[in-house]
């Protein structure tokens, strides 16, 4: 029986060496020390021993049981430590690695400049008005003194939904909505998208942005228009910016003008950017035509007003020296990141 016990001890210890996880360790404990285990089985045979042998074998059995228990618990600690070590290694954080660059988005130059222009006008006491992009012919043309057969329609061909409904070609349509809904004094700007059926090139796109301005009150004159635009341009381009008005024709303003700004690139001397003009064209403007006021139920004998329409893309291109309109719409981050 002594040898049997010693064999069990040796076998248990040999098996212990090969154990690699807690489950196996538990199985081993049951196999040797459990109620139906090998050691227990031997102890059950103790009854057959002589009175002298019994305490000797009993002692030995207890010692072996204690030894195996100790070995199991030692192996258990080893396994635990190894597991912890492995986990530590796997989850190790190398604080010396370079960080990951967090790229932060920013506004598209069109949005940034649009916001800037809105701020300037809000500062001058203007409200912001919105109008629909899908518009009735009446608001886009007819009420703006551009009847069906007017040649001005040729330069503003657009996309028609029906004969009577179209994508607006100009934010001037919002002038009509505003004047129909509100009586003077009126002081609004209306930024938004406009559409024209133009072929795509460096200066034309079928979709672009305008910012309309409209002021109607008693005693409004061309001087108010010039003062407002002068202020806008100085805020946008700096204090030395100058504007120049050239006579022009729009059916919905009388008199009408095209407004140029001093070329920021050459300061007026003439360069390739301004085609040697010294000035670059930025917007159309004029005094609201009496017929347009009357179309909206405002008495032209009592009130007068000025209006302007600014091309946002042009402002952005002049501001940043961009020479191709398409760049603004390609969403190439290498380009956009420069602003
Ligand atoms: N709507 C005109 C255009 O798109 C610009 C403009 C607006 C001119 C207001 C005069 C007054 O060309």
């Amino acid at each position: 029986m002594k040898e049997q016990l010693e064999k069990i001890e040796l076998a248990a210890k040999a098996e212990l060496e090969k154990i690699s996880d807690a489950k196996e360790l538990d199985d081993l404990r049951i196999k040797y020390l459990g109620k139906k285990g090998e050691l227990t089985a031997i102890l059950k045979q103790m009854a057959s021993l002589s009175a002298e042998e019994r305490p000797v074998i009993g002692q030995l059995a207890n010692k072996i049981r204690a030894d195996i228990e100790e070995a199991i618990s030692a192996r258990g600690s080893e396994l635990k430590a190894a597991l912890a070590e492995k986990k530590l290694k796997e989850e190790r954080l190398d604080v010396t690695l370079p960080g990951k660059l967090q790229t932060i988005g920013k506004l598209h130059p069109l949005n940034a400049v649009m916001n800037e222009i809105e701020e300037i006008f809000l500062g001058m006491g203007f409200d912001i008005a919105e109008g629909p992009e899908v518009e009735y012919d009446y608001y886009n043309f007819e009420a703006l003194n551009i009847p069906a057969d007017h040649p001005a329609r040729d330069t503003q061909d657009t996309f028609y939904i029906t004969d009577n409904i179209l994508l607006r070609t100009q934010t001037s349509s919002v002038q009509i909505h505003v004047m129909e809904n509100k009586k003077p004094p009126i002081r609004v700007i209306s930024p938004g998208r406009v559409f024209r059926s133009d072929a795509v090139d460096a200066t034309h796109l079928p979709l672009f942005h305008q910012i309309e301005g409209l002021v109607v009150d008693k005693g409004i004159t061309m001087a108010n228009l010039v003062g407002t635009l002068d202020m806008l341009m100085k805020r946008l381009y700096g204090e030395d910016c100058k504007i120049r008005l050239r006579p022009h024709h729009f059916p919905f303003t009388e008199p009408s003008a095209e407004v140029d700004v001093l070329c920021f690139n050459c300061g007026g001397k003439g360069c390739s950017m301004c085609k040697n003009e010294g000035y670059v064209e930025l917007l159309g403007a004029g005094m609201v035509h009496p017929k347009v006021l009357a179309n909206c139920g405002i008495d032209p004998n009592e009130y007068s007003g000025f209006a302007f329409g600014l091309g946002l893309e042009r402002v952005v291109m002049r501001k940043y020296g961009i020479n191709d309109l398409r760049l603004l719409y390609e969403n190439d981050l290498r380009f956009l990141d420069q602003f």
Side-chain angles (χ1 to χ4, degrees), residues 156 169-172 175 196 210 212-213 250 252-253 257 284-286 307-310:
Q156 298 197 8
T169 62
Q170 47 187 350
T171 45
S172 298
Q175 287 187 34
R196 291 185 195 178
Q210 288 187 334
E212 193 78 9
F250 296 105
F252 40 92
T253 47
F308 58 85
L310 182 64

Side-chain angles (χ1 to χ4, degrees), residues 46 57 62 138 143 150 167 178 274 325 335:
M46 293 263 286
I57 297 294
N62 281 338
Y138 177 78
H150 196 288
L167 298 189
V178 169
C274 58
L325 181 54
F335 169 74

